[in-house]
Amino acid sequence: MRLLAILPVALSAAALILSFLCLFAGSKKGFMEDYAVITLNSSQIGQSLFDDGDSSSSNSDSDNALTSFIHNVTSSIEDEIEDTLTSFAKDLGLHDFYSAHLLDFCEGYYVPGPVPNATLDSSDISQNVTSCSNRTAMYTFDPKEVLQKELNKSGVDVNLDELNWPEDINDGLQALEAASNATFVLYCIAIALIAIAFLTALVAIFLEGRLWSFVNVMMDWLAFLVIGIASAIATAFAVKASEVINKYGNDIGVSATKGSKFLVLTWVATGLMLVASIVWCFDCIQGRRRYRGPSRSYAGDKLR
């Protein structure tokens, strides 16, 4: 029995579980919703337009749908906005945040409020997820489409164009669509390879010989390579997408954050496969030394 193989078995099993969690995190309400790739904060999407609406009330275009809506809700939300800058998105029929995952997105509200103030510390704000979309392979998060659908369902006669939604956000995210699709495919391949690596490591516990060590080295390195590439692309996507949204969405009160918890999860899985491959390399080298030892002893005995 090869006792050293127990360690890579445990490492690959842990990496397999973490990889599954990366793929299925947020796939339904109540399951790892805070492990998103990126989170869109839309709670302040109407804040700047509220001020603009007040200042432009005497303009000739003051009877357009957006201005009419702003004046209609002024009396009900004015105190809240002045006091805590609470969610104007709710009055538009939108959610405070949308968290994008590999298979879907979830939406909800910040509780007790979206913005910290004198009486509300940022550490006291949490996400209350209300629903998640259906799971879809090769899913790509399209914030403009999601927000517009919610505006249409709300009955408010306002669209994203009237909210000055930047087209640069759409262009930037569309450029990242291929990376998003590639990430899903690579995670699927990585999960399959890690599962095979786990099984071969399990078999190697009961089989001696350098051949199985070499097979496991190859399998672990291949699994490490694929999950590493998937993690790198997911990281690049999260960083770049949040940068694009923050750069062009700041003027309309929209921001985004990359999913730190998700990134920790995927890179830990990558690190586990790297360590497992190193263990098998060590076992392979040790096996070669054990093989050479008896050969030299046999040659010495023959000379005597």
Side-chain angles (χ1 to χ4, degrees):
M1 179 177 289
R2 195 197 310 247
L3 296 179
L4 184 62
I6 295 175
L7 180 56
V9 166
L11 292 171
S12 56
L16 182 61
I17 293 172
L18 293 180
S19 299
F20 265 114
L21 293 178
C22 287
L23 184 60
F24 289 98
S27 58
K28 63 179 181 179
K29 186 175 180 293
F31 181 68
M32 299 178 67
E33 302 143 335
D34 52 343
Y35 285 77
V37 181
I38 60 167
T39 299
L40 178 75
N41 184 341
S42 59
S43 63
Q44 302 303 301
I45 192 171
Q47 178 188 337
S48 60
L49 293 177
F50 176 83
D51 297 331
D52 292 343
D54 282 345
S55 63
S56 61
S57 59
S58 61
N59 292 343
S60 58
D61 61 344
S62 60
D63 58 346
N64 64 53
L66 179 59
T67 304
S68 298
F69 170 76
I70 290 174
H71 286 298
N72 288 337
V73 301
T74 295
S75 59
S76 64
I77 67 172
E78 185 175 16
D79 292 337
E80 291 181 312
I81 292 178
E82 291 178 352
D83 182 33
T84 61
L85 292 178
T86 54
S87 174
F88 191 63
K90 289 182 182 179
D91 298 279
L92 287 169
L94 303 174
H95 287 80
D96 285 345
F97 69 87
Y98 301 85
S99 54
H101 304 272
L102 292 180
L103 294 175
D104 66 342
F105 75 90
C106 296
E107 59 190 13
Y109 301 100
Y110 291 111
V111 291
V115 180
N117 53 45
T119 60
L120 179 62
D121 191 78
S122 58
S123 60
D124 297 326
I125 299 175
S126 60
Q127 293 181 347
N128 178 32
V129 175
T130 57
S131 63
C132 295
S133 64
N134 295 328
R135 284 179 290 184
T136 305
M138 308 282 283
Y139 174 74
T140 301
F141 180 60
D142 186 345
K144 182 177 182 179
E145 180 182 0
V146 171
L147 293 174
Q148 188 58 61
K149 281 184 178 180
E150 293 217 313
L151 286 173
N152 294 340
K153 287 192 293 185
S154 70
V156 176
D157 190 17
V158 176
N159 59 51
L160 283 182
D161 292 333
E162 291 175 308
L163 292 174
N164 298 328
W165 180 266
E167 286 299 321
D168 289 320
I169 292 181
N170 305 328
D171 296 339
L173 295 182
Q174 285 177 2
L176 297 172
E177 184 175 352
S180 177
N181 294 336
T183 302
F184 170 79
V185 173
L186 287 170
Y187 271 107
C188 292
I189 296 174
I191 287 172
L193 291 174
I194 295 172
I196 295 172
F198 168 75
L199 293 175
T200 55
L202 200 61
V203 172
I205 294 178
F206 306 100
L207 296 178
E208 294 288 344
R210 292 176 57 226
L211 176 61
W212 277 102
S213 296
F214 180 76
V215 169
N216 278 281
V217 168
M218 293 296 101
M219 285 306 308
D220 282 18
W221 270 105
L222 186 58
F224 161 70
L225 180 64
V226 176
I227 188 66
I229 294 174
S231 298
I233 294 177
T235 302
F237 175 83
V239 171
K240 188 62 179 177
S242 59
E243 285 180 353
V244 168
I245 294 173
N246 289 332
K247 180 179 179 180
Y248 299 110
N250 182 63
D251 292 339
I252 63 168
V254 173
S255 62
T257 55
K258 61 181 182 292
S260 299
K261 289 184 178 181
F262 173 86
L263 296 180
V264 168
L265 207 65
T266 188
W267 282 112
V268 168
T270 302
L272 289 174
M273 290 312 300
L274 175 61
V275 175
S277 65
I278 292 173
V279 172
W280 280 119
C281 285
F282 175 78
D283 184 76
C284 193
I285 293 171
Q286 288 295 104
R288 182 172 183 177
R289 288 177 179 174
R290 289 194 297 269
Y291 174 76
R292 284 182 173 179
S295 297
R296 289 195 296 268
S297 298
Y298 174 76
D301 291 342
K302 188 175 180 179
L303 289 174
R304 287 198 296 269

